[in-house]
Amino acid sequence: MQPLWKHRNYMLLSAGQGISWLGTEISGIAMPLIVLALTGSAALAGTIAAMRGITYVLLSLPAGYALDRGNRRNIMIISNLGSGLAMFMVFLALLFKHLSIPELFILYGIEGSCFVFANIGRFSSLRFIVPNEQLHAAIAQDSAVGQFAQMVGPSFGGFLYQTVGPMISFLADALSYVINAIALSFVNNSLSLEKKEPDEGLRKGLKEAAAWLWGQQLYRVYLCMSWIRIIVVEAVSLLVIILAKQFHASAGFIGIILAISAASGVIGSIVAGKFARKYNRFTALVVTGIISTAIFMLYFIASNLVTLTIITAILFALFPSYYIICAGIIGKIPHHIQGRVTSITRSGDFICYSLGLTLMGFTVQFLGDKWTISIFSLLLFVFLMIMISNKKLLDAIPSAV
């Protein structure tokens, strides 16, 4: 079997996505800082950050259907160019000093709309170029690439914010989308089934995917656990930014904290990839789940930037483990409904993504740090209880060869 780095199409897909992730991370640190500077509202910062999730939920089902029926590669190229254009408009608005909060909402809505097609296309195309036996390795590598982007992006974004200004961060994000589109143009595969099934319409097509999903008990449990976990995981970076600002950290130092944590995530992705191949999956899930819950609760005693950095770094090392260990589950999705099943599951992901960011912003602003940490710790405990109560199912997760 060929190693992953010899799969030309996979490497192009992964490299383009990695660059796009890097651009998103560079602008990601600038956006909440801009909103906080303009309004002082953590709730508003979380709500704008959640725009991507809102548009994802609205468009994911028709996007999944379109990706199954059309040329997945070409749709992804056009979508990346659309997102790049939206971020370039943010750059221009900052350059000419005419950026307002309503404009941010609109442009993030446009970027998010295009992102839906590109993101579902990315997730649903993996099985067309990577054998099922290498899915664990591919997802582990993708996770490492994403964590690397999180390591480099925030620190570089914080540096740009302090030295040049936030506008350059959004220009870098726009260029990253363009580079991703160029990389996709060199993929010599449509990333779709060449022989399509008869078109039965959007409703029947989605009904077929939903029926398959409902009949898969393991997949349903996996999604339930994933969605609870996403609420917490996606909110951690915003929590860290808010707590770090309370400790009077600069934008550059916040970027360093997130970069250190992302470096831990790279290591965690590599280690979790080995666990997925060698160790009992249920035991690995429970151990990492218990440790994650305990470490998150240490935010109660984070009294300075050093402890905040250590806690966050350990969490980021543990976060990738769940998806890498469970990677074999997606190999069971039939190819012809890959896009539709992915759209259903990813729409749930982004509902939770938006909910996590919004919940974090509002609880910090109106309830305070301690209540916020308590609520999110409780969610991690619920995640752990669901996992423990489904031992027999989780033991049946397909393993890598």
Side-chain angles (χ1 to χ4, degrees), residues 2 4-13 186-188:
Q2 279 190 333
L4 279 176
W5 62 269
K6 287 189 176 181
H7 288 272
R8 174 183 177 276
N9 288 328
Y10 169 74
M11 294 305 296
L12 284 168
L13 196 71
F186 285 99
V187 173
N188 57 8

Side-chain angles (χ1 to χ4, degrees), residues 33-114:
L33 291 172
I34 289 172
V35 177
L36 289 171
L38 291 174
T39 67
S41 172
L44 192 56
T47 303
I48 292 178
M51 278 300 297
R52 176 178 280 184
I54 295 169
T55 54
Y56 207 107
V57 172
L58 294 174
L59 294 176
S60 61
L61 296 181
Y65 180 79
L67 286 159
D68 276 341
R69 304 308 309 174
N71 187 303
R72 190 175 273 111
R73 183 188 68 124
N74 291 343
I75 293 173
M76 292 166 65
I77 290 172
I78 294 170
S79 300
N80 274 285
L81 292 175
S83 290
L85 179 60
M87 291 297 96
F88 185 70
M89 295 303 294
V90 176
F91 160 75
L92 289 179
L94 286 169
L95 180 64
F96 292 105
K97 304 186 188 310
H98 287 299
L99 183 67
S100 66
I101 295 300
E103 287 172 341
L104 263 182
F105 268 108
I106 293 169
L107 291 172
Y108 263 79
I110 295 171
E111 186 270 349
S113 298
C114 295

